[in-house]
Amino acid sequence: MELLPGDRENLAIQTRGGPEKHEVTGWVLISPLSKEDAGEYECHASNAKGEATASAKIHVVETLQEIALAKGRQH
């Protein structure tokens, strides 16, 4: 079952106007972050003018060393 943002205590959706007139900027806050929060997240927006979708992947690491090790494996 897929959960909605309001179903998770550690996830909040924020929006504000801008940066341009008639635009809205939105973001997700995950706090506290845990390994279970890793994965792909999608944003779906729609209004009278159309629809847009964007996605991002979150990789959770416990130390900065894990980032360096992962970069070394990519080369």
Side-chain angles (χ1 to χ4, degrees):
M1 173 189 349
E2 191 70 28
L3 295 177
L4 296 173
D7 295 334
R8 295 179 49 190
E9 291 183 10
N10 69 331
L11 195 142
I13 306 295
Q14 302 288 320
T15 60
R16 68 170 178 81
E20 300 296 326
K21 188 175 180 179
H22 306 298
E23 287 185 351
V24 175
T25 298
W27 64 95
V28 174
L29 172 65
I30 304 173
S31 180
L33 184 67
S34 69
K35 289 271 188 185
E36 290 78 31
D37 296 308
E40 186 167 359
Y41 289 77
E42 290 187 349
C43 176
H44 301 272
S46 64
N47 63 19
K49 297 292 183 180
E51 298 181 9
T53 301
S55 64
K57 290 183 182 177
I58 294 180
H59 301 278
V60 180
V61 298
E62 293 185 25
T63 67
L64 293 177
Q65 184 180 8
E66 288 182 55
I67 297 171
L69 292 172
K71 284 184 178 181
R73 287 191 295 258
Q74 292 176 354
H75 289 90

